[in-house]
């Protein structure tokens, strides 16, 4: 059984650019959630995808968008990068059977994004 | 909105001793889940233990156990026989009838030899 993987590990961008982060869910999982973790803070929920549809969203602007593919892998896209977007981006997968997934979320190793 | 509070930013313990990390939460929901996650310097968030609110029995996983007090909205983590590999950030998290985990700000635990 493979765990959650994320790519790339590190990324450096400049203000105004766009970035795409990728996540492969754990085998058998159909739900992916994305979190932003600023330095010294706990993770903040960005959004969740269940069977290729957005299943809930946190307090993030529309320039944060996502996709989920038929194999349940997912992308997080951030447009018009700002300095405050510098953070660790964590992806978590779970097995959701209902609209709200309360099954345990298992995390990937994260992508460290630095915006200069 | 749910909130999770971890009042101990940093703690330290000697190897082989026992340490307890505190967590309180606020919610109006009756059915929910509580978690402790560990985040070592490698950054990977690792599940330590999970508690379902409808279960009165406290969850246990080897050296890790919780003290779940539903009325007091308290969820502490006890680590017995602390090991050097337990050094990490520990996050308490809440999940109610929605899709998201709500995390506390974390407690940095250092296990000293």
């Amino acid at each position: 059984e493979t765990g959650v993987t994320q790519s790339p590990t590190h990324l450096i961008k400049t203000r105004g650019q766009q970035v795409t982060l990728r996540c492969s869910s754990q085998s058998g999982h159909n739900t992916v959630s994305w979190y932003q973790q600023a330095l010294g803070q706990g993770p903040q929920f960005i959004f969740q995808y269940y069977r290729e549809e957005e299943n809930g969203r946190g307090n993030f602007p529309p320039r944060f968008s996502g996709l989920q593919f038929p194999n349940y892998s997912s992308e997080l896209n951030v447009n018009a990068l700002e300095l405050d977007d510098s953070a660790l981006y964590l992806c978590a997968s779970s097995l959701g059977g209902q609209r709200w997934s309360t099954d345990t979320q298992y995390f990937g190793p994260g992508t460290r994004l630095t915006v200069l | 909105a749910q909130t999770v509070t971890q009042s101990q930013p940093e703690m330290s313990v000697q190897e082989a001793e026992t340490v307890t990390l505190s967590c309180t939460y606020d919610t109006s929901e009756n059915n929910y889940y509580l978690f402790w996650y560990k985040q070592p310097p490698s950054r990977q968030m690792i599940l330590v233990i999970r508690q379902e609110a409808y279960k009165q029995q406290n969850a246990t996983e080897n050296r890790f156990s919780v003290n779940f007090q539903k009325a007091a909205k308290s969820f502490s983590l006890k680590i017995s026989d602390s090991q050097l590999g337990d050094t990490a950030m520990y996050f308490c998290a809440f999940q109610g009838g929605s899709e998201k985990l709500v995390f506390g700000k974390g407690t940095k635990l250092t296990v000293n030899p």
Side-chain angles (χ1 to χ4, degrees):
Chain A
E1 182 181 279
T2 55
V4 180
T5 60
Q6 292 186 244
S7 63
T9 305
H10 296 91
L11 204 51
I12 299 175
K13 292 285 189 178
T14 56
R15 240 180 344 175
Q17 284 189 313
Q18 177 266 343
V19 68
T20 297
L21 310 182
R22 295 178 174 84
C23 171
S24 291
S25 59
Q26 184 170 311
S27 176
H29 286 179
N30 56 14
T31 302
V32 172
S33 304
W34 286 92
Y35 294 82
Q36 180 195 67
Q37 186 179 17
L39 197 61
Q41 301 293 319
Q44 298 288 318
F45 176 73
I46 303 174
F47 44 55
Q48 182 183 87
Y49 279 84
Y50 169 61
R51 293 187 173 180
E52 302 179 59
E53 291 192 5
E54 190 177 287
N55 189 40
R57 189 179 183 92
N59 189 27
F60 281 81
R63 58 189 186 84
F64 285 78
S65 63
L67 280 174
Q68 188 179 32
F69 301 98
N71 66 354
Y72 303 128
S73 65
S74 178
E75 288 182 354
L76 164 66
N77 299 291
V78 187
N79 294 321
L81 284 167
E82 300 177 0
L83 296 179
D84 284 349
D85 296 334
S86 294
L88 180 67
Y89 288 85
L90 295 166
C91 161
S93 76
S94 55
L95 180 60
Q98 304 295 327
R99 185 195 183 279
W100 290 322
S101 170
T102 55
D103 194 52
T104 301
Q105 297 185 17
Y106 294 91
F107 285 82
T111 294
R112 172 73 67 190
L113 173 64
T114 301
V115 183
L116 302 176
Chain B
Q2 292 88 8
T3 58
V4 176
T5 303
Q6 294 180 248
S7 58
Q8 305 150 316
E10 293 192 41
M11 293 192 73
S12 63
V13 64
Q14 292 299 121
E15 199 175 3
E17 293 188 346
T18 296
V19 64
T20 299
L21 308 183
S22 301
C23 172
T24 58
Y25 59 93
D26 188 27
T27 184
S28 57
E29 298 185 43
N30 194 44
N31 295 318
Y32 50 87
Y33 299 80
L34 294 162
F35 303 85
W36 280 97
Y37 283 91
K38 165 186 175 181
Q39 189 176 41
S42 65
R43 307 179 327 202
Q44 179 121 24
M45 195 76 76
I46 301 165
L47 176 68
V48 174
I49 202 164
R50 159 184 159 136
Q51 174 80 44
E52 290 124 343
Y54 63 86
K55 289 187 178 178
Q56 293 187 337
Q57 186 172 4
N58 290 324
T60 301
E61 287 288 342
N62 301 314
R63 298 183 295 108
F64 300 88
S65 61
V66 299
N67 182 5
F68 173 48
Q69 302 289 328
K70 190 173 183 179
K73 295 180 182 173
S74 169
F75 183 61
S76 61
L77 174 70
K78 185 172 84 171
I79 306 174
S80 303
D81 186 26
S82 297
Q83 301 176 359
L84 296 178
D86 295 334
T87 292
M89 284 292 294
Y90 285 80
F91 290 96
C92 178
F94 172 99
Q95 186 175 32
S98 73
E99 58 289 333
K100 66 180 181 181
L101 285 167
V102 178
F103 286 86
K105 290 189 174 182
T107 296
K108 182 179 180 181
L109 176 67
T110 302
V111 180
N112 298 308

